[in-house]
Amino acid sequence: MMTTDKRQPGAWPAIGYEAHPWVRTGDEVASRRALLQARGDYHAAVPRFIAAVPVGLAAETIALADDASQELARFDAEAGTIAAPFASILLRSESASSSEVENLTSSAKQVALAEIGESRSGNARLVVANVNAMKAAIALSDRLDEESILAMHDALLRDTAPEYVGHWRDQQVWIGGGSISPHAATFVPPHQDRVPDLMADVVSFARRTDVPVLAQAAIAHAQFETIHPFPDGNGRTGRALLQGMLRHGRLTRNVTVPVSAGFLRDTDGYFSALTEYRAGRPDPIVIAVAEASFAAVQNGRALVGDIQAAAKRWDSQIIARSDSSVHLVKQHLLRQPVVNTKTVAAELEISEVAAQSAIDRLVDAEVLTKISAGRRNRIWQAPEILAALDAFGARARRRRG
């Protein structure tokens, strides 16, 4: 039975709970205490529908969100006017940061290797999958609906967990408390039967035009994470949805501002804000997204500055005809700092001979260094770009104190 709704009139709706029977498989391997605990009913969350609920936030929260929105729009405009592939750089940075929120860490070098199919790091391949999910979120931002969210999730997990993609979950999931039952979980999302209607509702909320964009994106993200519509990948897909909503609301138009890098500054605060949201207090998650946006803009500007400085040094080190392939490869390195001859030739639509000639010029100028031995399957890296990306990650992880 659902618990009584004690919400005050005009307040944001807190989740309720309802009991469900738990049937053990008989194959569980656990302590006697855990097995005894995994008996009887468990209680799953019942999120309220929010599509038509008035959004009432504190004046200070609204002002903070407005200030953050202005900073996001300003940085987006700045990065969008620079003649360099910063959209790709920032999107990769957002994807890596979003993955790191889930403790999936990888160096910039390993991620770049994974992008050309040369990394043995499982985490790096997962970050690249998250890049694809972010790309899907941006590409589908004009039509935010259930299908577009499923497409984001598909881009994230189609290679590693294809059994989970293309549909909402058909099983109960839970967070924390062990693997054999939800009885001791930190949070139990709604029963799977409720997911389709709840996802239709959150999409309806995301389409509203009477809520400021940043606050709307933050609340939709929190509602999505509360529903937890998939068996895996909810956090990364939910942050991709947040980026899609910022683009849908035209707060960003040119680049993916790495808001997840801002969450890394205070992951405990971010998760606490999601918990507060479930208790009927939406202000903390709006504040968390706003504060993350300020941190993302500051860190993003430093990254853009580092990349620009490297590109300027390269231009001063290399003198070549304006139609030389070396200029194309220089630009390519800004968004893909680890390369081989085949990927350069394919990406830039030049011959492998021209690609190798340009790579050799860049090696001579100490822009590129070789990172593989032998003459076959040779791979080169742009150390300055990798250092800039790793520095971005280090700044994101630096706690304020």
Side-chain angles (χ1 to χ4, degrees), residues 30-380:
S31 66
R32 287 176 295 171
R33 180 180 180 181
L35 291 172
L36 285 171
Q37 192 175 42
R39 296 190 305 178
D41 291 348
Y42 70 94
H43 290 83
V46 182
R48 316 300 185 179
F49 293 119
I50 64 170
V53 176
V55 178
L57 299 170
E60 294 84 353
T61 303
I62 295 170
L64 181 70
D66 184 58
D67 289 346
S69 297
Q70 291 182 48
E71 285 296 330
L72 286 173
R74 187 178 298 116
F75 176 68
D76 178 77
E78 291 170 8
T81 60
I82 300 171
F86 285 111
S88 296
I89 293 167
L90 291 167
L91 187 142
R92 181 199 283 115
S93 300
E94 163 63 15
S95 302
S97 299
S98 180
S99 297
E100 192 164 344
V101 171
E102 308 295 329
N103 294 315
L104 298 170
T105 60
S106 184
S107 69
K109 178 178 176 178
Q110 286 301 320
V111 172
L113 281 166
E115 288 184 314
I116 64 171
E118 296 288 349
S119 177
R120 296 179 180 178
S121 166
N123 277 4
R125 291 193 293 272
L126 289 173
V127 172
V128 171
N130 203 24
V131 170
N132 294 332
M134 289 288 176
K135 288 179 179 176
I138 299 305
L140 297 165
S141 60
D142 285 342
R143 62 171 188 87
L144 279 177
D145 55 22
E146 291 102 314
E147 290 302 315
S148 64
I149 295 173
L150 289 169
M152 296 173 205
H153 186 253
D154 176 85
L156 178 69
L157 290 184
R158 73 168 67 109
D159 292 332
T160 56
E163 68 275 17
Y164 292 156
V165 305
H167 53 84
W168 309 126
R169 60 178 166 86
D170 57 4
Q171 57 190 276
Q172 182 67 66
V173 297
W174 59 92
I175 300 170
S179 61
I180 68 169
S181 85
H183 291 80
T186 304
F187 176 65
V188 183
H191 188 270
Q192 58 266 29
D193 290 348
R194 291 186 176 273
V195 170
D197 287 343
L198 285 165
M199 287 306 301
D201 175 76
V202 78
V203 165
S204 294
F205 175 82
R207 290 174 173 165
R208 284 171 58 172
T209 57
D210 64 329
V211 184
V213 174
L214 189 141
Q216 184 180 30
I219 291 171
H221 170 66
Q223 184 76 352
F224 176 94
E225 299 302 340
T226 299
I227 299 167
H228 238 63
F230 303 113
D232 190 24
N234 292 284
R236 286 166 288 166
T237 304
R239 287 183 290 276
L241 173 63
L242 191 154
Q243 289 289 346
M245 288 192 63
L246 294 178
R247 185 65 63 93
H248 181 77
R250 303 181 70 79
L251 199 54
T252 58
R253 304 184 184 207
N254 303 297
V255 298
T256 305
V257 183
V259 175
S260 292
F263 290 144
L264 284 175
R265 278 286 195 66
D266 184 10
T267 51
D268 289 343
Y270 166 54
F271 291 128
S272 176
L274 291 173
T275 300
E276 289 286 298
Y277 172 82
R278 292 163 190 154
R281 293 183 285 275
D283 285 74
I285 191 61
V286 177
I287 292 169
V289 172
E291 294 287 2
S293 298
F294 289 124
V297 168
Q298 182 176 3
N299 200 355
R301 282 200 178 108
L303 175 61
V304 169
D306 288 344
I307 300 293
Q308 283 182 300
K312 187 175 181 180
R313 281 192 295 273
W314 295 354
D315 288 340
S316 68
Q317 291 169 237
I318 301 166
I319 306 300
R321 298 191 318 271
S322 60
D323 61 347
S324 173
S325 296
V326 74
H327 296 302
L328 294 175
V329 178
K330 280 193 304 180
Q331 285 293 102
H332 179 62
L333 290 173
L334 297 179
R335 64 178 181 270
Q336 178 52 50
V338 174
V339 296
N340 58 32
T341 305
K342 287 185 177 181
T343 58
V344 168
E347 181 70 23
L348 301 180
E349 298 182 343
I350 59 178
S351 70
E352 289 192 20
V353 171
Q356 187 60 60
S357 176
I359 288 171
D360 290 341
R361 290 281 304 276
L362 293 167
V363 170
D364 291 340
E366 299 183 343
V367 169
L368 285 175
T369 60
K370 192 165 72 169
I371 57 174
S372 61
R375 295 192 57 83
R376 298 186 62 186
N377 301 320
R378 290 180 297 173
I379 301 171
W380 293 266

